[in-house]
Amino acid sequence: MIKAINRSTKADFFKQTAIAPLVMFRIIFGAMLLFSSVRFILKGWVETQYIEPKFFFGFLGFEWVKPLEGNLMYIPFIIMVVAALFIVLGLFYRVSTLLFFVCFTYVELLDKSNYLNHYYFLSLMSFLMMWIPAHRDFSIDAKLFPKIRRTETAAWHIGILKFQLAVVYIFAGIAKINSDWLFEAQPLKIWLQAHHNVPFIGGLLQEEITAYFFSWMGCLYDLFIVFFLLNKRTRPFAYLAVIFFHVVTWLLFPIGVFPWVMIFSTTLFFSVKFHQTMLNGLKKVFRWTATVPNLVRKHTGSQKLVRFALPTYIALQIIIPLRFVLYPGNLFWNEEGFRFSWRVMLMHKEGHATFYVTDKATGRTIEIDNTDYLTVRQEDQMMTQPDMILQFAKYLKQEFDGKTYSNKEQSITLHDPAVHAEVFVSLNGRPSQKFIDKKHDLTALPYNLKHRDWIEPFEK
């Protein structure tokens, strides 16, 4: 039985299919990476997000990842621009995908206050592209190294990319199956109110029924769009729905390039014939002529690695979004297991956090102005996320330990200070309620993956 399963898996993973969809995706994906990287620089975000901040909220286990000094932070972004351009061209493809993945992931690991689902998605897709030979046709590499040219590729090269796209949609849909989204139309009720001045439809966006319609349609769309894209009969209508859904999302909500990333990425579900027609058109425009060498395929030891690595990767992509079930309490309140789980636009949280640094020996206390240490974006993100609150408290202890603090009223030299915080949070339009009690010395609490029982319980 096991041998039969292994043979079946091998046949499914390594059966040959036209390479055209993979080549077209390389060009589209590289263009998206190029646009995103250039846009990030031109928007001035390198300066505001990675040069100006005094403190960075590193991810657990990756606190050792630090930003480069000053304007040196532009280096990884410049590398990303060049690497993305080379991916489009298929030039030094393996090195280019590796460089882009390393630089992009490095930047994302610097500060969790900048975390976005589409950044995580791009990081995963660039990781997958490192292992996929999308440069074996219509690329400069294929011109320089004729022996790599192919008209076919292994099925898993395209299948794993489709799987990653499916994971984003389906888990986003599953995440929407909650009472706030379906039965309270939150947070869409809140967000749509901000668009009352939109010409022609502003009044309609204020109606409660509109928020409910968007909530239910959004849930159904995410849950089933992949299956409609996979079916050739429904694919044209499904892709029109993809365009409509993401364009509306882009117009109404400030979520950057994510809608466009999904619009262009889902072309991967189109038929081989469509991609071949598009590729042939590009070849005609650029007068591409290349003979594919007549090589005999050989089964190598790498296939054994793929048969192990691919199911492992697939399992991780299913397990990681579901890890929240290991934690008690309300997921949106505690946010334990929230990141990396494709929970897109599911909650609206507003917080207010006041931190106090206290000298243990004298009991004398200093109230902290968060803006002295954090950017506006960092403070906004920190005030509702427990792990970031804890990180900031530990940072304050380091800042004040052994130092003398003076103002008009007092002068305090602090030794091994305690840091307390009083935090109030509102979730999806509910009245603000206590999130962190001032009684806790946050510097004494562990920063790990265990449940944070020092968070105040959520009151519906």
Side-chain angles (χ1 to χ4, degrees), residues 113-129:
S113 65
N114 297 322
Y115 171 83
L116 292 173
N117 283 287
H118 79 267
Y119 290 164
Y120 177 46
F121 173 74
L122 291 178
S123 188
L124 290 175
M125 292 295 273
S126 59
F127 171 78
L128 292 174
M129 292 295 284

Side-chain angles (χ1 to χ4, degrees), residues 396-410:
L396 290 174
K397 179 175 181 176
Q398 293 177 352
E399 283 293 296
F400 282 88
D401 193 8
K403 297 179 182 178
T404 300
Y405 174 83
S406 300
N407 59 20
K408 295 180 180 179
E409 300 176 355
Q410 58 183 338

Side-chain angles (χ1 to χ4, degrees), residues 75-102:
I75 292 176
F77 288 91
I78 293 172
I79 293 174
M80 281 190 275
V81 170
V82 175
L85 177 61
F86 281 15
I87 290 171
V88 174
L89 299 175
L91 176 60
F92 307 127
Y93 171 80
R94 296 290 191 185
V95 175
S96 298
T97 51
L98 173 63
L99 283 175
F100 189 91
F101 168 73
V102 170

Side-chain angles (χ1 to χ4, degrees), residues 63-306:
E63 294 87 353
W64 53 272
V65 180
K66 301 296 182 183
L68 300 174
E69 290 292 330
N71 289 333
L72 291 177
M73 265 309 301
Y74 280 97
I75 292 176
F77 288 91
I78 293 172
I79 293 174
M80 281 190 275
V81 170
V82 175
L85 177 61
F86 281 15
I87 290 171
V88 174
L89 299 175
L91 176 60
F92 307 127
Y93 171 80
R94 296 290 191 185
V95 175
S96 298
T97 51
L98 173 63
L99 283 175
F100 189 91
F101 168 73
V102 170
C103 290
F104 189 87
T105 304
Y106 159 72
V107 169
E108 292 317 301
L109 288 174
L110 288 174
D111 195 339
K112 68 178 69 170
S113 65
N114 297 322
Y115 171 83
L116 292 173
N117 283 287
H118 79 267
Y119 290 164
Y120 177 46
F121 173 74
L122 291 178
S123 188
L124 290 175
M125 292 295 273
S126 59
F127 171 78
L128 292 174
M129 292 295 284
M130 288 166 45
W131 308 102
I132 294 172
H135 62 314
R136 289 188 169 180
D137 191 14
F138 195 58
S139 69
I140 296 178
D141 283 351
K143 281 287 189 183
L144 296 175
F145 311 102
K147 288 185 179 181
I148 72 168
R149 296 173 189 164
R150 299 289 187 279
T151 57
E152 294 184 332
T153 193
W156 76 265
H157 294 153
I158 299 172
I160 191 62
L161 298 176
K162 289 182 179 179
F163 166 79
Q164 190 63 73
L165 282 162
V167 163
V168 176
Y169 275 120
I170 293 173
F171 273 106
I174 293 172
K176 289 179 173 64
I177 304 176
N178 68 79
S179 59
D180 272 17
W181 184 269
L182 295 178
F183 303 127
E184 301 295 334
Q186 291 287 13
L188 288 181
K189 276 184 186 177
I190 298 172
W191 294 340
L192 291 177
Q193 291 296 317
H195 299 283
H196 61 276
N197 57 348
V198 174
F200 304 113
I201 62 170
L204 180 62
L205 295 177
Q206 307 308 299
E207 298 294 333
E208 190 174 272
I209 189 65
T210 304
Y212 278 100
F213 176 80
F214 278 21
S215 293
W216 278 85
M217 289 301 102
C219 180
L220 293 172
Y221 169 86
D222 284 337
L223 284 172
F224 299 109
I225 192 63
V226 168
F227 303 102
F228 289 122
L229 286 168
L230 288 169
N231 186 301
K232 66 178 182 180
R233 292 184 177 180
T234 57
R235 187 177 298 132
F237 306 102
Y239 193 66
L240 288 176
V242 169
I243 295 173
F244 177 79
F245 177 86
H246 287 296
V247 168
V248 170
T249 302
W250 175 72
L251 289 172
L252 292 179
F253 308 115
I255 56 176
V257 300
F258 183 65
W260 300 104
V261 168
M262 299 309 290
I263 286 173
F264 290 111
S265 293
T266 47
T267 57
L268 190 64
F269 289 94
F270 287 9
S271 68
V272 170
K273 182 179 179 181
F274 171 86
H275 288 287
Q276 193 65 64
T277 301
M278 296 297 293
L279 186 58
N280 289 341
L282 288 175
K283 287 181 176 181
K284 186 176 181 180
V285 170
F286 290 95
R287 299 181 180 178
W288 170 272
T289 56
T291 303
V292 177
N294 186 21
L295 298 177
V296 177
R297 297 189 194 93
K298 296 181 180 179
H299 296 297
T300 65
S302 63
Q303 291 188 359
K304 293 182 179 180
L305 178 61
V306 170

